[in-house]
């Protein structure tokens, strides 16, 4: 989820691994405004990793969910 308010952008949610296939669920967050990217990784069936990041001074982010190789 994305929420923009009070001069900051919040990106929050979770990554969850739902299969026993040796691959991880990965969420990549690439915020605008010169901020460093962030990762949330869930490794192993039924593992869930919550994330909650705030970025001051930007209103954009690219968020991508994928499986590791």
């Amino acid at each position: 989820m994305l929420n923009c308010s009070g001069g900051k952008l919040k990106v929050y949610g979770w990554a969850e691994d739902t299969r026993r296939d040796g691959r991880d669920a990965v969420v990549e967050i690439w915020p605008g405004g010169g901020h460093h990217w962030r990762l949330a990784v869930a490794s192993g069936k039924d593992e869930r990793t919550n994330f909650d990041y705030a970025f001051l001074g930007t209103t954009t982010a690219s968020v991508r969910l994928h499986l590791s190789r």
Side-chain angles (χ1 to χ4, degrees):
M1 303 287 271
L2 298 171
N3 181 336
C4 191
S5 146
K8 67 182 171 185
L9 175 68
K10 288 190 68 157
V11 181
Y12 57 95
W14 67 89
E16 185 172 2
D17 190 346
T18 60
R19 294 185 181 182
R20 193 172 321 231
D21 59 5
R23 298 173 77 183
D24 303 334
V26 180
V27 175
E28 293 181 357
I29 303 162
W30 295 87
H35 294 279
H36 295 287
W37 58 277
R38 303 286 192 266
L39 284 178
V41 179
S43 301
K45 181 163 175 17
D46 297 328
E47 180 177 322
R48 184 176 187 166
T49 301
N50 295 314
F51 60 89
D52 186 353
Y53 297 111
F55 305 99
L56 293 173
T58 189
T59 58
T60 62
S62 175
V63 181
R64 179 178 163 225
L65 169 65
H66 65 93
L67 295 175
S68 67
R69 297 185 192 264

